[in-house]
Amino acid sequence: MARTPVITAGPEEDRSRDAALRPKFLREVIGQTEVARRLAIAVNAAKKLKEPLGHILFDGPPGLGKTTFATVLPNELGTSLQMTSGPALSKPADMLPFLTNLEEGSILFIDEIHRMPRVVEEFLYPAMEDFRIDIVLGEGLNARTISMNLKHFTLIGATTRSGMLSGPMRDRFRMHEHLEFYSVDELSRIVRVNAAKLQTKIADAAAMELAQRCRGTPRIANARLAWVRTYAASETDGDITLEVARAALQMLNVDREGLDKQDRRYLETLIDVFAGGPTGVEAIAATMNLTTDTLSDEVEPYLLREQFVIRTPRGRVATERAFQLLGKKIPRKTAADGEPALFD
Ligand code: ADP
């Protein structure tokens, strides 16, 4: 069989496509209904009370809309937005340009906020609580602290790991919103709306097919729609039919469950190398030559949600569904192995 190259968009391409397709207002946001409703109320109240919005923390796996909500809110409030990310803030001084550029009621968005060092986090506490920062000038005996007042702003934090955020940081957010994976119906609406934005005709069945095969994630739906559209333009008249969508997804090595090569490698490693588990995520990551963070943030959440894998106190265990997907024989562990029977 001919080998198909893995076709993926680079991060830059991903980012510009995401920005172009991103909803601009809350009413354009599809799915996450309860989150959107609570935010609409918070926005409405902030406008009526003429107060800045309280600080908001979004958490959930990548590509589910954390940045989207953060960019929609300033549009709703008619205010400005500054964006940065945890890894870019290595020391308190890195925060200064953002804090001094604030306007009354404006929004500061910090992506991957769990990756911000503790010193920066502590520097932010008075900023979040009292709209004030303490700056230390000089060193040693000559050191003195000056306080600076800030404009009343809203901090929006996004994290794929709310568990890694310190308690005091978490407590300083007034709203905590958890984003969940999307339903197939919501994703097919997203695919249809975005195909229209890209001026591409897509059959309802094709939109449904893409929706079923994008790991419950709008960003993946967008990336796969982009590829299917490219394929349609090159190989057919440009319209996306069900056949075209299927052929294009097959070239991407996306299976009928929507899992990609990386997902299947994870399951293969767990099953072939670790006999289905239980095993620690670190061992799987080391065998796959990936970081534990990549596995726990990007690969595992969907596999856990779809129960291809379960978490146990002794590590990850592949389920019957995973064995079936890969066409592997399901082992029958007996009490004699000293292990509880995995599948009865
Ligand atoms: P995150 O910040 O959680 O990683 P993003 O907000 O960047 O995810 O979402 C990725 C892309 O997915 C967005 O650019 C947008 O096109 C699409 N998207 C996300 N959530 C929604 C939504 N609720 N409705 C429509 N499109 C969405």
Side-chain angles (χ1 to χ4, degrees), residues 18 21-23 29-30 63-68 182 218-219 222:
D18 280 352
L21 297 178
R22 196 165 265 149
V29 167
I30 296 169
L64 297 191
K66 298 181 291 299
T67 311
T68 300
Y182 290 63
R219 177 177 296 140
N222 287 348

Side-chain angles (χ1 to χ4, degrees), residues 14-15 17-23 28-32 60-69 71 109 111 158 160 179 182 190 194 197 217-220 222:
D14 266 2
R15 258 198 299 277
R17 183 186 50 235
D18 280 352
L21 297 178
R22 196 165 265 149
E28 294 169 23
V29 167
I30 296 169
Q32 309 290 350
L64 297 191
K66 298 181 291 299
T67 311
T68 300
F69 278 117
T71 50
F109 174 58
D111 200 8
T160 45
L179 302 190
Y182 290 63
I190 293 176
N194 289 346
K197 283 186 190 167
T217 307
R219 177 177 296 140
I220 299 182
N222 287 348

